[in-house]
Amino acid sequence: MSQHNYEFHLVDREDLKEERQEARRRIMQAAALGNDVDSADLALLRGLTVREREDSILSDAWVLVALIILIIGLLDGRNPALLSLSAVMLIVLGVGKVWKNLALIGVLYRRSFNQNHVFPGEAVEMTVTVSNNKRLPLSGLRFQDSLPVPPNSENVIARPIGETYAVYTLINSYSMHAHEEVQRNYTLTFPKRGFYQLGPVTYQTGDIFTLFRIEREYSYHDTIVVYPKIHPLEELGLPAKEPFGDLKVRRSLFTDPINTRGIRDYQPQDRFRDVHWKATARRGELQTKIYDPSTGMTMGIFLNVATMPKHWMGFFPEVMERAVSVAASLASYGSEQGWGIGLYANGSFPNSDQPIRVPPGRSTDQLTHMLEALAAVTEFATASIDMMLLRESPNLPWVSTIVLVTAVVTDETMVALLRLQEAGRRVVLISLAEESPPNKQGAILTYHIPPDAFPPTQNSTLRTSAKEPEILS
């Protein structure tokens, strides 16, 4: 009956100080001589090794047995059979042990993607490259890679490893010659928005006699960003032309603080916050920014992630997803119109308790920043949306249009919107509630997007806020 001995090595960063110094020395020496750098040294230097495990079907007693047979053979007049048996046992054990220790040196597992920012349902082509950068051939080389979604192939082994989280294990096995490189291609499809993390990856191999095995886990991660789904405004029931009313303003009335046209000398009536400090330091005199007239629109999108009057009551995942999709659609429309667009959400990033803020801008990558923030936002409400409206609106340009996207309209929310409108702000309310908001918003421009404006979802059950985010793996 075979006996399995397991040995675990939990890597401690402090205990690896000397090993990392030695790895750094080898890397510098290889670079000086023009040789290839060992990937294991790079992994050790970067602290990527998470866990190492060794497995053997033989115990240490086999070495003692081989020595005993050797001694008996010598005492028995140098018995050829016993001496040969002991020699074979010692050679096999020695070669197997050394082979196991050298097996993962120079082995590298890499992922590459044709794109890492996609929309739901778009295919991501993933290429896995495995290389054996040494003279020692390998048999039984195996990799286990953690994926948030299974590959789109029936011939690929990808099994789920848990029911709470959608995590799959991609299993690949190889037999590789010396200095060989192998590539395999897979297609991944992500059905929902989110930040999806791939990894860690586990290496497994052993000696040529399959007596010893070594398993090493590396904290090797890649991230795929899946944007929210974007709908045309007319598909949501919003007017495609001037959805927020007449935007014409007199050119001499307002200036746009997003676009700076130039600088001039400071004048007593200038605001202190308009001082251009870099130009002041360069010229030695106070300089003031000159803004372009406000001919373009600036839109601040406020997203309420709460789907119940009180966030601690739970949340409806599909309702929140609709709200996020509407916010993304508005941002896309504003970017197409050349507007300055910004995003404020009372939800947070994963593992964070801070609300999301993307100040308004017209840069070419402004929409990308907003879509990335919407891809990552969770249902955890850091504050009520009415408090966030009143706190963040003073930071917006005065001629900005404040657009609130919410699935629940409370009395506190309406009071905050009316206060902003009375202060001279342009306010727009977009409600995703099942019923239209009550007719007490006065002159506030209001749109109601019913649930049937979106394609049906598979699950419409209520989830409590104590659970993990619905779409982040």
Side-chain angles (χ1 to χ4, degrees):
M1 184 177 193
S2 63
Q3 180 180 358
H4 291 265
N5 296 324
Y6 297 96
E7 183 179 359
F8 291 90
H9 306 280
L10 296 180
V11 177
D12 190 339
R13 295 179 183 269
E14 296 181 358
D15 296 339
L16 288 177
K17 183 177 180 180
E18 294 182 1
E19 294 185 33
R20 289 182 179 175
Q21 290 178 351
E22 185 65 17
R24 185 181 292 108
R25 185 191 63 79
R26 290 194 296 268
I27 291 174
M28 296 299 295
Q29 182 179 5
L33 298 176
N35 299 329
D36 293 336
V37 177
D38 191 349
S39 58
D41 287 340
L42 286 175
L44 180 61
L45 186 61
R46 296 172 182 173
L48 299 178
T49 305
V50 177
R51 178 179 59 87
E52 185 176 291
R53 168 187 171 185
E54 295 182 2
D55 177 17
S56 173
I57 64 174
L58 302 177
S59 66
D60 295 337
W62 282 90
V63 178
L64 180 60
V65 171
L67 293 176
I68 293 175
I69 294 175
L70 176 61
I71 295 174
I72 294 175
L74 292 174
L75 295 177
D76 191 20
R78 296 187 177 182
N79 188 309
L82 295 179
L83 292 179
S84 300
L85 178 60
S86 63
V88 171
M89 292 179 63
L90 290 175
I91 291 174
V92 170
L93 291 173
V95 172
K97 192 76 172 179
V98 172
W99 198 298
K100 182 263 299 181
N101 293 335
L102 298 176
L104 291 181
I105 294 178
V107 175
L108 187 61
Y109 180 95
R110 293 171 294 172
R111 312 184 200 95
S112 59
F113 307 92
N114 65 330
Q115 54 183 346
N116 55 13
H117 288 67
V118 297
F119 287 92
E122 289 186 1
V124 176
E125 300 297 331
M126 180 180 72
T127 300
V128 173
T129 303
V130 176
S131 55
N132 179 28
N133 301 316
K134 61 178 179 297
R135 297 181 179 179
L136 187 70
L138 295 176
S139 62
L141 181 60
R142 178 175 168 145
F143 298 91
Q144 295 184 3
D145 196 357
S146 297
L147 303 179
V149 294
N152 299 341
S153 175
E154 297 180 355
N155 300 324
V156 176
I157 302 177
R159 64 183 184 219
I161 61 175
E163 297 181 356
T164 304
Y165 303 97
V167 180
Y168 297 82
T169 299
L170 175 64
I171 302 175
N172 277 311
S173 298
Y174 301 83
S175 293
M176 303 189 68
H177 300 292
H179 298 286
E180 183 182 5
E181 183 174 281
V182 179
Q183 289 187 346
R184 293 179 181 176
N185 299 317
Y186 306 94
T187 301
L188 305 178
T189 303
F190 300 86
K192 299 180 180 180
R193 70 168 182 95
F195 271 50
Y196 292 86
Q197 189 177 77
L198 290 75
V201 61
T202 300
Y203 296 32
Q204 295 177 346
T205 189
D207 67 291
I208 192 174
F209 306 112
T210 66
L211 300 177
F212 304 94
R213 293 199 62 82
I214 182 171
E215 177 180 305
R216 189 175 296 163
E217 181 179 322
Y218 289 94
S219 181
Y220 171 41
H221 297 278
D222 285 301
T223 300
I224 302 295
V225 179
V226 181
Y227 297 138
K229 187 175 182 180
I230 294 179
H231 302 271
L233 294 191
E234 55 268 24
E235 185 177 306
L236 300 176
L238 302 176
K241 184 178 180 181
E242 294 189 354
F244 308 122
D246 188 6
L247 302 178
K248 295 180 181 179
V249 296
R250 288 181 294 174
R251 298 178 63 91
S252 61
L253 196 58
F254 297 109
T255 58
D256 190 348
I258 293 180
N259 287 342
T260 302
R261 184 172 59 187
I263 58 174
R264 60 171 171 79
D265 292 336
Y266 178 81
Q267 298 177 4
Q269 67 271 20
D270 292 336
R271 298 177 301 179
F272 194 65
R273 67 180 181 180
D274 293 335
V275 174
H276 196 298
W277 293 108
K278 291 184 179 179
T280 298
R282 188 165 54 248
R283 296 192 176 185
E285 297 179 356
L286 285 175
Q287 301 294 311
T288 302
K289 301 175 184 176
I290 301 177
Y291 300 114
D292 281 335
S294 181
T295 57
M297 179 177 174
T298 299
M299 176 174 58
I301 302 173
F302 285 77
L303 172 64
N304 184 16
V305 300
T307 58
M308 301 285 287
K310 302 295 182 182
H311 66 273
W312 49 263
M313 299 173 64
F315 78 106
F316 290 98
E318 73 286 350
V319 177
M320 176 183 166
E321 293 307 307
R322 291 201 296 265
V324 173
S325 181
V326 170
S329 302
L330 294 174
S332 177
Y333 177 83
S335 178
E336 292 176 357
Q337 302 301 314
W339 298 346
I341 51 177
L343 173 68
Y344 301 86
N346 59 346
S348 64
F349 290 107
N351 303 320
S352 174
D353 59 353
Q354 298 299 314
I356 292 177
R357 299 182 180 90
V358 181
R362 288 192 177 92
S363 63
T364 55
D365 55 354
Q366 180 71 5
L367 178 61
T368 300
H369 295 327
M370 296 178 63
L371 292 180
E372 287 179 348
L374 290 171
V377 66
T378 68
E379 87 287 348
F380 175 71
T382 60
S384 61
I385 193 64
D386 50 288
M387 295 298 296
M388 191 173 193
L389 281 166
L390 299 177
R391 183 176 63 249
E392 299 294 342
S393 58
N395 300 324
L396 294 172
W398 185 253
V399 293
S400 299
T401 297
I402 297 175
V403 181
L404 172 61
V405 179
T406 179
V408 55
V409 181
T410 63
D411 292 339
E412 293 80 4
T413 302
M414 294 308 307
V415 169
L417 293 176
L418 290 173
R419 287 180 58 182
L420 292 174
Q421 186 183 36
E422 291 173 356
R425 292 285 194 173
R426 181 192 295 268
V427 179
V428 178
L429 171 62
I430 299 181
S431 171
L432 281 77
E434 293 186 1
E435 299 180 358
S436 300
N439 189 20
K440 58 181 180 180
Q441 59 269 26
I444 295 178
L445 180 60
T446 303
Y447 294 103
H448 176 238
I449 303 178
D452 55 10
F454 298 85
T457 57
Q458 295 180 353
N459 186 7
S460 60
T461 58
L462 174 68
R463 294 202 174 202
T464 61
S465 59
K467 294 205 175 176
E468 293 295 327
E470 165 70 7
I471 53 108
L472 298 177
S473 298

